[in-house]
Amino acid sequence: MRSTEPGHGGAAGARPASSPPGLREAASGYWHRRGLPTEPAQVAVAPDASLLLLAVLAAADDGEGRPGGGSVLLPHPCPSWYAPQARLLGRTVHTVPVPAECGGLPDPFALLETVRRVRSAGDEPRVLVLSVADEVTGTAAPPELLHEVCEAAVAEGLLLVSDETWRDTTHDAHQTVLVSPAEMLAPTGQDAHVVVLADLGRPASPSGEAGVGIARFPSAGRGRRLGERVHELLTALRPALSGTAAAAAAGALTESAGLRDRRSAQAHATGRLARALHCAVTEAGALCRPPSLGRYVYADLDRFRPRLAARGITDAPRLEAALVGALGPYAEGGHRFGDHPRELRVRLTTDMLTTTPAATAPHAGAAPGGSRAGPVPGGSRAGPVAGRDGPADLTAGGGPPSGGSASGGGPAPGAGAGPASGAGPAAGRGRTAAAAESLARELPDAAESLAQVQSVLADLTDGSPQ
């Protein structure tokens, strides 16, 4: 695709007319502070990251500069907004199970096997979308594991799209190491294979709503050509981005000292809630990776399948419906994130602990689908733990932190996820009580809500797998 409009050029091609001045400069500084030197011409902006992902997939080439189709590889579970963008373009989506250690990226051996299998079936995978800070499981990818995935992807000629929306929501920045694939591959010059995405609204929104999206393209090679095509697509589409939203995003990306302090405090407070929720889940006997970022935990209750089946719960949609009916709209089945519907997996959010117990009581408004439709009628919503500070917190992490598939197997999301995740009810007993006692001193409503979560899970599982 070539444009005949004047003004094209620069490191990543033309700037779309919809990209407000100052926003790309602020995004450049944001990435530079994270070890990714970036020029404004390498940055693209859109009303949300899903539109940017759509443009990237539409413009992706075969590694030799020839734009075209090809299938898309996704880890499972993964955020629900990845797959629709590929399917809108008519691209086939292949999912790869995540490793035991974390979510957000495929197991490297399963990735190679999937690529081999897809090619033997006559398809050609072109793009791998991953996230080093996984929104779904609340985990961070260990650098050594990420390195294996990057090496495998580059060797197979895949374009890496790294969603780093949640990288600034780590509960303890001193204990969690996050490395971007672009930073990891830069010393060898292979970062031309990496596009970085971030959505400035999702972490700040309790319902995960999209906000302003930003993308960073490499300055040379394959990545530069891709950036040029994406800029041309955005110029043609002219997606609307209000001046107010652009100014708020630019201010957030500039990261004042006050904003950084608020973000750190919010992440720390949400981390306490996430760890307490994780304790409640594992004490009930479920498998769950220990959370290190964001506001979600991802629980696997498959070991309770016989007991749950006796209650009519045989798949993720029914598990979601049961938990939504008991706790409110704060549970989402794993089928929403690419896991097979039959697998008894569910994502829970710390938002249920910042809501008064009245709001999490069983209610008539819980639809069988269990969609997160907002606060339950009759209940008050306290919102994020530390509160929202207005548009200036709409940054990638600027607000409070928010396994097998139908086509293949792989490690279960909870398996081997550390000593706390599969320890079972005996090892976990008492940890939730200690967490609740700690919360009760500062957040009594959260402690009361945590007790209700414990009660619901204990009722479902009886604390002992069968």
Short mmCIF file of all heavy atoms in Angstrom, two decimals, residues 280-347:
data_model
loop_
_atom_site.label_atom_id
_atom_site.label_comp_id
_atom_site.label_asym_id
_atom_site.label_seq_id
_atom_site.Cartn_x
_atom_site.Cartn_y
_atom_site.Cartn_z
N ALA A 280 -7.69 -17.28 49.34
CA ALA A 280 -9.03 -17.85 49.46
C ALA A 280 -9.25 -18.94 48.42
O ALA A 280 -9.83 -20.00 48.71
CB ALA A 280 -10.09 -16.75 49.30
N VAL A 281 -8.77 -18.71 47.20
CA VAL A 281 -8.96 -19.67 46.11
C VAL A 281 -8.16 -20.95 46.37
O VAL A 281 -8.68 -22.07 46.24
CB VAL A 281 -8.54 -19.04 44.77
CG1 VAL A 281 -8.45 -20.09 43.67
CG2 VAL A 281 -9.53 -17.95 44.37
N THR A 282 -6.90 -20.80 46.76
CA THR A 282 -6.07 -21.98 46.97
C THR A 282 -6.44 -22.71 48.26
O THR A 282 -6.30 -23.93 48.34
CB THR A 282 -4.58 -21.60 46.99
OG1 THR A 282 -4.34 -20.58 47.96
CG2 THR A 282 -4.14 -21.09 45.63
N GLU A 283 -6.91 -21.99 49.26
CA GLU A 283 -7.35 -22.66 50.48
C GLU A 283 -8.56 -23.54 50.21
O GLU A 283 -8.75 -24.58 50.86
CB GLU A 283 -7.68 -21.64 51.57
CG GLU A 283 -8.02 -22.28 52.91
CD GLU A 283 -8.18 -21.26 54.01
OE1 GLU A 283 -7.43 -20.26 54.01
OE2 GLU A 283 -9.05 -21.46 54.87
N ALA A 284 -9.36 -23.15 49.22
CA ALA A 284 -10.50 -23.98 48.84
C ALA A 284 -10.07 -25.20 48.05
O ALA A 284 -10.88 -26.08 47.76
CB ALA A 284 -11.49 -23.15 48.01
N GLY A 285 -8.77 -25.27 47.70
CA GLY A 285 -8.25 -26.42 46.99
C GLY A 285 -8.06 -26.22 45.50
O GLY A 285 -7.61 -27.14 44.80
N ALA A 286 -8.41 -25.06 44.96
CA ALA A 286 -8.24 -24.81 43.53
C ALA A 286 -6.78 -24.53 43.20
O ALA A 286 -5.98 -24.16 44.08
CB ALA A 286 -9.10 -23.62 43.11
N LEU A 287 -6.43 -24.71 41.95
CA LEU A 287 -5.10 -24.37 41.47
C LEU A 287 -5.13 -22.94 40.96
O LEU A 287 -6.06 -22.53 40.27
CB LEU A 287 -4.67 -25.32 40.35
CG LEU A 287 -4.56 -26.80 40.71
CD1 LEU A 287 -4.26 -27.63 39.47
CD2 LEU A 287 -3.49 -27.01 41.76
N CYS A 288 -4.10 -22.16 41.28
CA CYS A 288 -4.09 -20.75 40.89
C CYS A 288 -2.67 -20.22 40.99
O CYS A 288 -2.00 -20.39 42.01
CB CYS A 288 -5.02 -19.94 41.80
SG CYS A 288 -5.20 -18.21 41.34
N ARG A 289 -2.18 -19.59 39.94
CA ARG A 289 -0.85 -18.99 39.99
C ARG A 289 -0.85 -17.79 40.94
O ARG A 289 -1.78 -16.99 40.93
CB ARG A 289 -0.41 -18.53 38.60
CG ARG A 289 -0.26 -19.65 37.59
CD ARG A 289 0.13 -19.10 36.23
NE ARG A 289 0.27 -20.16 35.25
CZ ARG A 289 -0.72 -20.68 34.54
NH1 ARG A 289 -1.95 -20.20 34.71
NH2 ARG A 289 -0.50 -21.64 33.68
N PRO A 290 0.21 -17.62 41.72
CA PRO A 290 0.29 -16.44 42.59
C PRO A 290 0.32 -15.16 41.77
O PRO A 290 1.12 -15.05 40.83
CB PRO A 290 1.61 -16.65 43.34
CG PRO A 290 1.92 -18.09 43.21
CD PRO A 290 1.35 -18.52 41.89
N PRO A 291 -0.54 -14.19 42.04
CA PRO A 291 -0.57 -12.96 41.25
C PRO A 291 0.60 -12.05 41.61
O PRO A 291 1.00 -11.96 42.77
CB PRO A 291 -1.90 -12.33 41.63
CG PRO A 291 -2.13 -12.80 43.04
CD PRO A 291 -1.57 -14.19 43.10
N SER A 292 1.12 -11.36 40.61
CA SER A 292 2.19 -10.39 40.86
C SER A 292 1.89 -9.03 40.24
O SER A 292 2.65 -8.09 40.42
CB SER A 292 3.52 -10.91 40.30
OG SER A 292 3.42 -11.18 38.90
N LEU A 293 0.78 -8.92 39.53
CA LEU A 293 0.40 -7.65 38.92
C LEU A 293 -1.10 -7.65 38.64
O LEU A 293 -1.76 -8.68 38.69
CB LEU A 293 1.20 -7.42 37.63
CG LEU A 293 1.13 -8.49 36.54
CD1 LEU A 293 -0.04 -8.26 35.58
CD2 LEU A 293 2.42 -8.56 35.75
N GLY A 294 -1.62 -6.46 38.35
CA GLY A 294 -3.02 -6.34 37.97
C GLY A 294 -3.98 -6.65 39.10
O GLY A 294 -3.61 -6.70 40.28
N ARG A 295 -5.23 -6.91 38.73
CA ARG A 295 -6.28 -7.11 39.74
C ARG A 295 -7.04 -8.42 39.58
O ARG A 295 -8.14 -8.57 40.07
CB ARG A 295 -7.26 -5.93 39.71
CG ARG A 295 -7.97 -5.69 38.38
CD ARG A 295 -9.01 -4.58 38.53
NE ARG A 295 -9.65 -4.23 37.27
CZ ARG A 295 -9.28 -3.21 36.51
NH1 ARG A 295 -8.25 -2.45 36.88
NH2 ARG A 295 -9.90 -2.94 35.40
N TYR A 296 -6.45 -9.38 38.86
CA TYR A 296 -7.15 -10.64 38.61
C TYR A 296 -6.35 -11.83 39.10
O TYR A 296 -5.11 -11.79 39.15
CB TYR A 296 -7.41 -10.82 37.11
CG TYR A 296 -8.24 -9.72 36.49
CD1 TYR A 296 -7.66 -8.78 35.63
CD2 TYR A 296 -9.61 -9.63 36.74
CE1 TYR A 296 -8.42 -7.77 35.06
CE2 TYR A 296 -10.37 -8.62 36.16
CZ TYR A 296 -9.77 -7.69 35.32
OH TYR A 296 -10.53 -6.70 34.76
N VAL A 297 -7.08 -12.90 39.43
CA VAL A 297 -6.48 -14.22 39.62
C VAL A 297 -7.25 -15.19 38.74
O VAL A 297 -8.43 -14.98 38.44
CB VAL A 297 -6.51 -14.68 41.09
CG1 VAL A 297 -5.72 -13.72 41.97
CG2 VAL A 297 -7.93 -14.83 41.61
N TYR A 298 -6.57 -16.25 38.31
CA TYR A 298 -7.16 -17.21 37.37
C TYR A 298 -7.15 -18.58 38.02
O TYR A 298 -6.09 -19.17 38.23
CB TYR A 298 -6.36 -17.21 36.07
CG TYR A 298 -7.09 -17.78 34.88
CD1 TYR A 298 -8.20 -17.13 34.35
CD2 TYR A 298 -6.66 -18.96 34.28
CE1 TYR A 298 -8.86 -17.64 33.24
CE2 TYR A 298 -7.31 -19.47 33.17
CZ TYR A 298 -8.41 -18.80 32.65
OH TYR A 298 -9.07 -19.30 31.55
N ALA A 299 -8.32 -19.07 38.37
CA ALA A 299 -8.45 -20.30 39.16
C ALA A 299 -8.88 -21.48 38.31
O ALA A 299 -9.71 -21.34 37.41
CB ALA A 299 -9.46 -20.08 40.29
N ASP A 300 -8.31 -22.64 38.61
CA ASP A 300 -8.65 -23.88 37.93
C ASP A 300 -9.30 -24.82 38.95
O ASP A 300 -8.66 -25.24 39.91
CB ASP A 300 -7.37 -24.51 37.36
CG ASP A 300 -7.65 -25.75 36.52
OD1 ASP A 300 -8.73 -26.34 36.68
OD2 ASP A 300 -6.78 -26.13 35.71
N LEU A 301 -10.59 -25.12 38.75
CA LEU A 301 -11.34 -25.97 39.67
C LEU A 301 -11.60 -27.35 39.08
O LEU A 301 -12.50 -28.06 39.52
CB LEU A 301 -12.66 -25.31 40.05
CG LEU A 301 -12.61 -24.22 41.12
CD1 LEU A 301 -12.04 -22.93 40.56
CD2 LEU A 301 -13.99 -23.96 41.71
N ASP A 302 -10.80 -27.76 38.11
CA ASP A 302 -11.08 -29.03 37.44
C ASP A 302 -10.97 -30.22 38.38
O ASP A 302 -11.66 -31.22 38.19
CB ASP A 302 -10.11 -29.21 36.26
CG ASP A 302 -10.61 -30.28 35.29
OD1 ASP A 302 -11.59 -30.00 34.57
OD2 ASP A 302 -10.05 -31.39 35.28
N ARG A 303 -10.15 -30.12 39.42
CA ARG A 303 -10.01 -31.23 40.35
C ARG A 303 -11.30 -31.49 41.12
O ARG A 303 -11.46 -32.54 41.74
CB ARG A 303 -8.85 -30.97 41.30
CG ARG A 303 -9.04 -29.76 42.19
CD ARG A 303 -7.76 -29.30 42.85
NE ARG A 303 -7.03 -30.35 43.53
CZ ARG A 303 -6.07 -30.14 44.41
NH1 ARG A 303 -5.71 -28.89 44.70
NH2 ARG A 303 -5.45 -31.13 44.98
N PHE A 304 -12.24 -30.53 41.07
CA PHE A 304 -13.52 -30.70 41.74
C PHE A 304 -14.63 -31.09 40.75
O PHE A 304 -15.81 -30.96 41.07
CB PHE A 304 -13.92 -29.40 42.45
CG PHE A 304 -12.97 -28.99 43.53
CD1 PHE A 304 -12.05 -27.99 43.31
CD2 PHE A 304 -12.97 -29.63 44.76
CE1 PHE A 304 -11.16 -27.61 44.29
CE2 PHE A 304 -12.09 -29.25 45.75
CZ PHE A 304 -11.18 -28.25 45.52
N ARG A 305 -14.24 -31.57 39.58
CA ARG A 305 -15.23 -31.84 38.54
C ARG A 305 -16.36 -32.76 39.02
O ARG A 305 -17.55 -32.47 38.78
CB ARG A 305 -14.55 -32.41 37.30
CG ARG A 305 -15.51 -32.68 36.15
CD ARG A 305 -14.77 -33.07 34.88
NE ARG A 305 -13.98 -31.97 34.36
CZ ARG A 305 -14.47 -30.99 33.61
NH1 ARG A 305 -15.76 -30.97 33.30
NH2 ARG A 305 -13.68 -30.04 33.17
N PRO A 306 -16.08 -33.90 39.68
CA PRO A 306 -17.21 -34.75 40.12
C PRO A 306 -18.16 -34.03 41.07
O PRO A 306 -19.39 -34.14 40.94
CB PRO A 306 -16.51 -35.92 40.81
CG PRO A 306 -15.14 -35.96 40.20
CD PRO A 306 -14.78 -34.53 39.97
N ARG A 307 -17.61 -33.29 42.02
CA ARG A 307 -18.46 -32.59 42.98
C ARG A 307 -19.28 -31.50 42.29
O ARG A 307 -20.47 -31.32 42.56
CB ARG A 307 -17.60 -31.98 44.08
CG ARG A 307 -18.41 -31.29 45.18
CD ARG A 307 -17.51 -30.73 46.25
NE ARG A 307 -16.71 -31.77 46.88
CZ ARG A 307 -17.15 -32.59 47.82
NH1 ARG A 307 -18.40 -32.50 48.23
NH2 ARG A 307 -16.37 -33.50 48.34
N LEU A 308 -18.63 -30.76 41.39
CA LEU A 308 -19.34 -29.69 40.69
C LEU A 308 -20.38 -30.25 39.73
O LEU A 308 -21.45 -29.67 39.55
CB LEU A 308 -18.34 -28.80 39.94
CG LEU A 308 -17.39 -27.99 40.83
CD1 LEU A 308 -16.33 -27.29 39.99
CD2 LEU A 308 -18.17 -26.96 41.64
N ALA A 309 -20.06 -31.39 39.09
CA ALA A 309 -21.02 -32.00 38.17
C ALA A 309 -22.30 -32.39 38.90
O ALA A 309 -23.40 -32.32 38.33
CB ALA A 309 -20.39 -33.22 37.50
N ALA A 310 -22.17 -32.80 40.15
CA ALA A 310 -23.36 -33.15 40.93
C ALA A 310 -24.25 -31.94 41.14
O ALA A 310 -25.45 -32.09 41.41
CB ALA A 310 -22.94 -33.74 42.28
N ARG A 311 -23.68 -30.75 41.02
CA ARG A 311 -24.47 -29.52 41.14
C ARG A 311 -24.88 -28.98 39.78
O ARG A 311 -25.39 -27.86 39.67
CB ARG A 311 -23.65 -28.45 41.86
CG ARG A 311 -23.36 -28.77 43.32
CD ARG A 311 -22.35 -27.78 43.87
NE ARG A 311 -22.20 -27.92 45.32
CZ ARG A 311 -22.80 -27.15 46.22
NH1 ARG A 311 -23.61 -26.19 45.83
NH2 ARG A 311 -22.61 -27.35 47.50
N GLY A 312 -24.59 -29.72 38.72
CA GLY A 312 -24.94 -29.29 37.38
C GLY A 312 -23.91 -28.38 36.75
O GLY A 312 -24.17 -27.77 35.70
N ILE A 313 -22.74 -28.25 37.37
CA ILE A 313 -21.68 -27.39 36.84
C ILE A 313 -20.67 -28.27 36.12
O ILE A 313 -19.86 -28.95 36.75
CB ILE A 313 -21.00 -26.59 37.97
CG1 ILE A 313 -22.03 -25.73 38.70
CG2 ILE A 313 -19.87 -25.72 37.41
CD1 ILE A 313 -21.48 -25.05 39.94
N THR A 314 -20.74 -28.28 34.79
CA THR A 314 -19.89 -29.18 34.01
C THR A 314 -18.96 -28.44 33.06
O THR A 314 -18.17 -29.07 32.36
CB THR A 314 -20.75 -30.15 33.20
OG1 THR A 314 -21.66 -29.39 32.37
CG2 THR A 314 -21.56 -31.06 34.12
N ASP A 315 -19.06 -27.12 33.01
CA ASP A 315 -18.20 -26.37 32.10
C ASP A 315 -18.00 -24.95 32.63
O ASP A 315 -18.60 -24.56 33.64
CB ASP A 315 -18.77 -26.35 30.68
CG ASP A 315 -20.20 -25.83 30.61
OD1 ASP A 315 -20.62 -25.07 31.53
OD2 ASP A 315 -20.92 -26.16 29.65
N ALA A 316 -17.16 -24.19 31.93
CA ALA A 316 -16.82 -22.84 32.39
C ALA A 316 -18.03 -21.90 32.38
O ALA A 316 -18.19 -21.11 33.32
CB ALA A 316 -15.70 -22.27 31.53
N PRO A 317 -18.89 -21.93 31.37
CA PRO A 317 -20.06 -21.03 31.43
C PRO A 317 -20.95 -21.28 32.65
O PRO A 317 -21.44 -20.33 33.27
CB PRO A 317 -20.81 -21.34 30.12
CG PRO A 317 -19.73 -21.79 29.18
CD PRO A 317 -18.79 -22.58 30.04
N ARG A 318 -21.15 -22.55 33.01
CA ARG A 318 -21.98 -22.84 34.19
C ARG A 318 -21.25 -22.46 35.47
O ARG A 318 -21.88 -22.01 36.44
CB ARG A 318 -22.37 -24.32 34.20
CG ARG A 318 -23.38 -24.69 33.10
CD ARG A 318 -23.73 -26.17 33.16
NE ARG A 318 -24.77 -26.50 32.19
CZ ARG A 318 -24.55 -26.83 30.92
NH1 ARG A 318 -23.30 -26.87 30.48
NH2 ARG A 318 -25.54 -27.11 30.11
N LEU A 319 -19.94 -22.65 35.50
CA LEU A 319 -19.17 -22.23 36.67
C LEU A 319 -19.24 -20.72 36.84
O LEU A 319 -19.44 -20.21 37.95
CB LEU A 319 -17.71 -22.68 36.53
CG LEU A 319 -16.75 -22.25 37.64
CD1 LEU A 319 -17.17 -22.80 38.99
CD2 LEU A 319 -15.32 -22.69 37.29
N GLU A 320 -19.11 -20.02 35.74
CA GLU A 320 -19.23 -18.56 35.78
C GLU A 320 -20.59 -18.13 36.29
O GLU A 320 -20.70 -17.26 37.17
CB GLU A 320 -18.99 -17.99 34.39
CG GLU A 320 -19.20 -16.49 34.28
CD GLU A 320 -19.19 -16.00 32.85
OE1 GLU A 320 -18.10 -15.75 32.30
OE2 GLU A 320 -20.30 -15.90 32.26
N ALA A 321 -21.64 -18.77 35.77
CA ALA A 321 -23.00 -18.39 36.17
C ALA A 321 -23.22 -18.63 37.66
O ALA A 321 -23.85 -17.82 38.35
CB ALA A 321 -24.02 -19.18 35.34
N ALA A 322 -22.69 -19.74 38.17
CA ALA A 322 -22.86 -20.05 39.59
C ALA A 322 -22.16 -19.01 40.45
O ALA A 322 -22.71 -18.54 41.46
CB ALA A 322 -22.32 -21.44 39.89
N LEU A 323 -20.95 -18.62 40.08
CA LEU A 323 -20.19 -17.65 40.88
C LEU A 323 -20.77 -16.25 40.74
O LEU A 323 -20.79 -15.48 41.71
CB LEU A 323 -18.72 -17.68 40.46
CG LEU A 323 -17.97 -18.94 40.89
CD1 LEU A 323 -16.58 -18.98 40.26
CD2 LEU A 323 -17.86 -19.02 42.41
N VAL A 324 -21.24 -15.90 39.55
CA VAL A 324 -21.88 -14.59 39.38
C VAL A 324 -23.15 -14.52 40.22
O VAL A 324 -23.43 -13.50 40.87
CB VAL A 324 -22.19 -14.33 37.89
CG1 VAL A 324 -23.14 -13.14 37.74
CG2 VAL A 324 -20.90 -14.05 37.12
N GLY A 325 -23.91 -15.61 40.25
CA GLY A 325 -25.12 -15.63 41.04
C GLY A 325 -24.86 -15.47 42.53
O GLY A 325 -25.66 -14.91 43.25
N ALA A 326 -23.69 -15.96 42.98
CA ALA A 326 -23.38 -15.92 44.40
C ALA A 326 -22.59 -14.69 44.81
O ALA A 326 -22.74 -14.20 45.93
CB ALA A 326 -22.60 -17.18 44.79
N LEU A 327 -21.74 -14.19 43.91
CA LEU A 327 -20.81 -13.12 44.29
C LEU A 327 -21.01 -11.82 43.54
O LEU A 327 -20.43 -10.80 43.90
CB LEU A 327 -19.36 -13.61 44.07
CG LEU A 327 -18.92 -14.78 44.94
CD1 LEU A 327 -17.56 -15.29 44.47
CD2 LEU A 327 -18.84 -14.37 46.40
N GLY A 328 -21.81 -11.84 42.49
CA GLY A 328 -21.94 -10.64 41.67
C GLY A 328 -21.10 -10.76 40.40
O GLY A 328 -20.44 -11.78 40.17
N PRO A 329 -21.10 -9.73 39.57
CA PRO A 329 -20.49 -9.83 38.23
C PRO A 329 -18.96 -9.69 38.25
O PRO A 329 -18.39 -8.86 37.55
CB PRO A 329 -21.14 -8.66 37.49
CG PRO A 329 -21.37 -7.63 38.55
CD PRO A 329 -21.73 -8.42 39.80
N TYR A 330 -18.31 -10.50 39.06
CA TYR A 330 -16.87 -10.39 39.22
C TYR A 330 -16.15 -11.68 38.87
O TYR A 330 -14.99 -11.87 39.22
CB TYR A 330 -16.53 -9.98 40.66
CG TYR A 330 -17.32 -8.77 41.10
CD1 TYR A 330 -18.30 -8.86 42.08
CD2 TYR A 330 -17.11 -7.53 40.49
CE1 TYR A 330 -19.04 -7.75 42.45
CE2 TYR A 330 -17.84 -6.42 40.86
CZ TYR A 330 -18.81 -6.54 41.84
OH TYR A 330 -19.55 -5.43 42.21
N ALA A 331 -16.86 -12.59 38.19
CA ALA A 331 -16.27 -13.85 37.75
C ALA A 331 -16.52 -14.00 36.25
O ALA A 331 -17.61 -13.70 35.76
CB ALA A 331 -16.89 -15.02 38.51
N GLU A 332 -15.50 -14.45 35.53
CA GLU A 332 -15.62 -14.69 34.09
C GLU A 332 -15.00 -16.05 33.77
O GLU A 332 -13.86 -16.32 34.14
CB GLU A 332 -14.91 -13.60 33.30
CG GLU A 332 -15.53 -12.23 33.46
CD GLU A 332 -14.70 -11.15 32.79
OE1 GLU A 332 -13.67 -10.77 33.37
OE2 GLU A 332 -15.08 -10.71 31.69
N GLY A 333 -15.78 -16.89 33.09
CA GLY A 333 -15.30 -18.22 32.75
C GLY A 333 -14.13 -18.19 31.79
O GLY A 333 -13.97 -17.26 30.99
N GLY A 334 -13.30 -19.23 31.86
CA GLY A 334 -12.13 -19.29 31.00
C GLY A 334 -12.45 -19.36 29.52
O GLY A 334 -11.59 -19.05 28.69
N HIS A 335 -13.69 -19.74 29.17
CA HIS A 335 -14.07 -19.77 27.75
C HIS A 335 -14.02 -18.39 27.12
O HIS A 335 -13.93 -18.26 25.90
CB HIS A 335 -15.49 -20.35 27.61
CG HIS A 335 -16.55 -19.54 28.29
ND1 HIS A 335 -16.62 -19.41 29.66
CD2 HIS A 335 -17.59 -18.81 27.80
CE1 HIS A 335 -17.66 -18.65 29.98
NE2 HIS A 335 -18.26 -18.26 28.87
N ARG A 336 -14.08 -17.34 27.94
CA ARG A 336 -14.01 -15.97 27.40
C ARG A 336 -12.58 -15.59 27.02
O ARG A 336 -12.37 -14.57 26.39
CB ARG A 336 -14.56 -14.98 28.44
CG ARG A 336 -16.02 -15.20 28.79
CD ARG A 336 -16.52 -14.16 29.76
NE ARG A 336 -17.89 -14.40 30.13
CZ ARG A 336 -18.97 -14.00 29.43
NH1 ARG A 336 -18.78 -13.32 28.32
NH2 ARG A 336 -20.19 -14.26 29.85
N PHE A 337 -11.61 -16.40 27.43
CA PHE A 337 -10.20 -16.05 27.22
C PHE A 337 -9.47 -17.09 26.39
O PHE A 337 -8.24 -17.16 26.42
CB PHE A 337 -9.52 -15.87 28.58
CG PHE A 337 -10.26 -14.94 29.49
CD1 PHE A 337 -10.96 -15.43 30.59
CD2 PHE A 337 -10.30 -13.58 29.22
CE1 PHE A 337 -11.67 -14.57 31.41
CE2 PHE A 337 -11.02 -12.71 30.04
CZ PHE A 337 -11.70 -13.21 31.14
N GLY A 338 -10.23 -17.89 25.64
CA GLY A 338 -9.61 -18.84 24.72
C GLY A 338 -9.44 -20.23 25.26
O GLY A 338 -9.03 -21.12 24.51
N ASP A 339 -9.71 -20.48 26.54
CA ASP A 339 -9.65 -21.84 27.05
C ASP A 339 -10.90 -22.60 26.61
O ASP A 339 -11.94 -22.01 26.31
CB ASP A 339 -9.56 -21.84 28.58
CG ASP A 339 -8.13 -21.71 29.08
OD1 ASP A 339 -7.20 -22.01 28.29
OD2 ASP A 339 -7.92 -21.30 30.23
N HIS A 340 -10.78 -23.92 26.57
CA HIS A 340 -11.92 -24.73 26.13
C HIS A 340 -13.06 -24.59 27.13
O HIS A 340 -12.83 -24.62 28.35
CB HIS A 340 -11.50 -26.19 26.01
CG HIS A 340 -12.50 -27.02 25.26
ND1 HIS A 340 -13.65 -27.53 25.84
CD2 HIS A 340 -12.53 -27.42 23.97
CE1 HIS A 340 -14.35 -28.20 24.94
NE2 HIS A 340 -13.68 -28.15 23.79
N PRO A 341 -14.29 -24.43 26.65
CA PRO A 341 -15.42 -24.23 27.57
C PRO A 341 -15.58 -25.34 28.59
O PRO A 341 -16.07 -25.10 29.70
CB PRO A 341 -16.63 -24.17 26.62
CG PRO A 341 -16.07 -23.69 25.33
CD PRO A 341 -14.69 -24.28 25.24
N ARG A 342 -15.15 -26.55 28.26
CA ARG A 342 -15.35 -27.66 29.20
C ARG A 342 -14.41 -27.56 30.40
O ARG A 342 -14.69 -28.14 31.46
CB ARG A 342 -15.15 -29.00 28.48
CG ARG A 342 -15.33 -30.19 29.40
CD ARG A 342 -15.49 -31.50 28.65
NE ARG A 342 -15.40 -32.64 29.56
CZ ARG A 342 -16.34 -33.01 30.41
NH1 ARG A 342 -17.48 -32.32 30.46
NH2 ARG A 342 -16.19 -34.06 31.20
N GLU A 343 -13.34 -26.82 30.28
CA GLU A 343 -12.39 -26.71 31.38
C GLU A 343 -12.94 -25.78 32.45
O GLU A 343 -13.42 -24.68 32.16
CB GLU A 343 -11.04 -26.21 30.83
CG GLU A 343 -10.39 -27.23 29.92
CD GLU A 343 -9.23 -26.67 29.13
OE1 GLU A 343 -9.31 -25.50 28.72
OE2 GLU A 343 -8.26 -27.41 28.92
N LEU A 344 -12.84 -26.20 33.68
CA LEU A 344 -13.46 -25.47 34.80
C LEU A 344 -12.51 -24.41 35.32
O LEU A 344 -11.94 -24.52 36.41
CB LEU A 344 -13.85 -26.46 35.89
CG LEU A 344 -14.96 -27.45 35.50
CD1 LEU A 344 -15.12 -28.54 36.54
CD2 LEU A 344 -16.29 -26.71 35.28
N ARG A 345 -12.35 -23.36 34.53
CA ARG A 345 -11.46 -22.27 34.89
C ARG A 345 -12.25 -20.96 34.93
O ARG A 345 -13.19 -20.77 34.17
CB ARG A 345 -10.30 -22.17 33.90
CG ARG A 345 -9.41 -23.41 33.97
CD ARG A 345 -8.38 -23.46 32.87
NE ARG A 345 -7.66 -24.73 32.92
CZ ARG A 345 -7.00 -25.25 31.91
NH1 ARG A 345 -6.95 -24.61 30.77
NH2 ARG A 345 -6.38 -26.40 32.04
N VAL A 346 -11.81 -20.08 35.81
CA VAL A 346 -12.55 -18.83 35.99
C VAL A 346 -11.59 -17.74 36.42
O VAL A 346 -10.63 -17.98 37.15
CB VAL A 346 -13.68 -19.02 37.04
CG1 VAL A 346 -13.11 -19.37 38.40
CG2 VAL A 346 -14.58 -17.81 37.12
N ARG A 347 -11.83 -16.54 35.94
CA ARG A 347 -11.05 -15.38 36.37
C ARG A 347 -11.87 -14.59 37.38
O ARG A 347 -13.03 -14.27 37.14
CB ARG A 347 -10.70 -14.49 35.17
CG ARG A 347 -9.77 -13.35 35.56
CD ARG A 347 -9.39 -12.51 34.35
NE ARG A 347 -10.45 -11.58 33.97
CZ ARG A 347 -10.27 -10.56 33.12
NH1 ARG A 347 -9.10 -10.38 32.54
NH2 ARG A 347 -11.28 -9.77 32.82
#
